[in-house]
Amino acid sequence: MKIVAIGGTGLIGSKLVKKLREGGHEALAASPNLGVNSVTGEGLAEALKGASVVVDVTNSPDWEDSAVLKFFETSTRNLLTHEADAGVGHHVALSVVGTQQLGESGYFRAKTAQEKLIKQSTVPYTIVQATQFFEFLKGIADISMVGDKVHLPPALFQPMAADDVASALAGIAEGAPANGTVEIAGPQPFRLDELVRRRLASLKDPREVVADPDARYSGARISERTLLPGNNARLGQTSFETWLKQAAAPTASAA
């Protein structure tokens, strides 16, 4: 089966393509540096020729409110139009758990707009809402700085390893469209401030992490359970401790 990964050279996309090829599929990595651009439409028609499934794991290069909205709306419209023309039978899109509850954030308003376009399309689909990735814990700290300290709400979240995200996406791409949303998450919940503090410590990053109930997450106020998946979420197997050991290994840091 030909499966095209849009954003196929990024963190999740590269892992996804590898897993699909190991599963015997014809997996095509598509990204601007490979001549396929979902925003301009360059190379899309050729890339999607003969494809059964398209998996969209793209992300905006610019998170400014209007820029990120334009990216997801333009990219998604182009993909869905070209998929309909090519007879693609399944559009899989990676989104984020809690998106609909994070409307104060420009990024999550853009993800909501993306999901709406997919639901309105004639192309059968599965929206995969994932929790945060272990790989992005430092990035969460970076966008949560107040002065020289990291301010985070002590809310619960259930992050997962990028490998588990890719495995879940591969399995969903191989299956029938849900024409709905599937949630995926890590094996256990943590406090947001606690896990970011542990990750920074493992990196010998001296920044202090402050548990601040008034702090925002990516610009949005969140409650205790905003970032948690529902009871039917599919859970990855990689624990934070296991991931941390893998991340510290020489082969992982050199990759």
Side-chain angles (χ1 to χ4, degrees):
M1 181 161 63
K2 181 178 177 180
I3 302 174
V4 181
I6 307 293
T9 57
L11 172 66
I12 301 299
S14 57
K15 293 177 183 292
L16 172 63
V17 168
K18 183 173 182 288
K19 290 177 188 294
L20 289 170
R21 287 175 180 167
E22 288 171 350
H25 298 288
E26 179 192 349
L28 175 68
S31 63
N33 60 319
L34 296 176
V36 183
N37 191 315
S38 59
V39 174
T40 65
E42 177 195 359
L44 270 183
E46 184 61 30
L48 300 189
K49 195 176 294 181
S52 299
V53 183
V54 169
V55 186
D56 180 8
V57 291
T58 58
N59 210 346
S60 175
D62 185 344
W63 283 27
E64 186 274 325
D65 286 3
S66 60
V68 72
L69 179 62
K70 183 178 180 181
F71 174 87
F72 280 118
E73 287 189 330
T74 305
S75 173
T76 303
R77 284 194 183 103
N78 282 339
L79 286 174
L80 293 169
T81 298
H82 282 82
E83 286 169 29
D85 290 344
V88 171
H90 191 185
H91 177 92
V92 181
L94 182 61
S95 191
V96 187
V97 164
T99 287
Q100 278 68 35
Q101 300 176 63
L102 293 161
E104 286 183 294
S105 163
Y107 181 83
F108 288 104
R109 287 197 299 273
K111 293 299 287 183
T112 297
Q114 177 190 27
E115 291 189 15
K116 184 177 179 182
L117 287 169
I118 293 166
K119 291 171 184 176
Q120 291 173 340
S121 168
T122 58
V123 180
Y125 71 92
T126 305
I127 294 169
V128 183
Q129 289 192 340
T131 55
Q132 294 70 22
F133 309 157
F134 293 141
E135 286 81 358
F136 290 167
L137 291 172
K138 180 183 177 295
I140 291 173
D142 293 344
I143 65 169
S144 304
M145 297 295 293
V146 178
D148 61 352
K149 297 179 182 179
V150 179
H151 281 245
L152 286 168
L156 291 167
F157 76 145
Q158 202 162 321
M160 64 191 301
D163 268 330
D164 288 349
V165 177
S167 293
L169 285 170
I172 288 165
E174 291 169 339
N179 290 315
T181 301
V182 173
E183 289 187 328
I184 60 175
Q188 66 184 118
F190 298 90
R191 294 285 173 186
L192 183 57
D193 62 303
E194 170 208 344
L195 203 64
V196 170
R197 189 177 295 113
R198 287 172 63 182
R199 179 55 175 150
L200 293 185
S202 76
L203 295 169
K204 297 182 170 48
D205 186 322
R207 285 178 291 176
E208 180 183 347
V209 178
V210 177
D212 179 356
D214 295 322
R216 297 190 173 211
Y217 176 78
S218 193
R221 280 183 288 265
I222 62 173
S223 69
E224 171 93 343
R225 305 184 67 83
T226 300
L227 303 179
L228 288 180
N231 294 330
N232 295 322
R234 303 179 187 183
L235 302 185
Q237 300 301 307
T238 308
S239 69
F240 178 66
E241 290 74 17
T242 298
W243 177 83
L244 207 54
K245 289 174 186 171
Q246 294 169 348
T251 51
S253 59

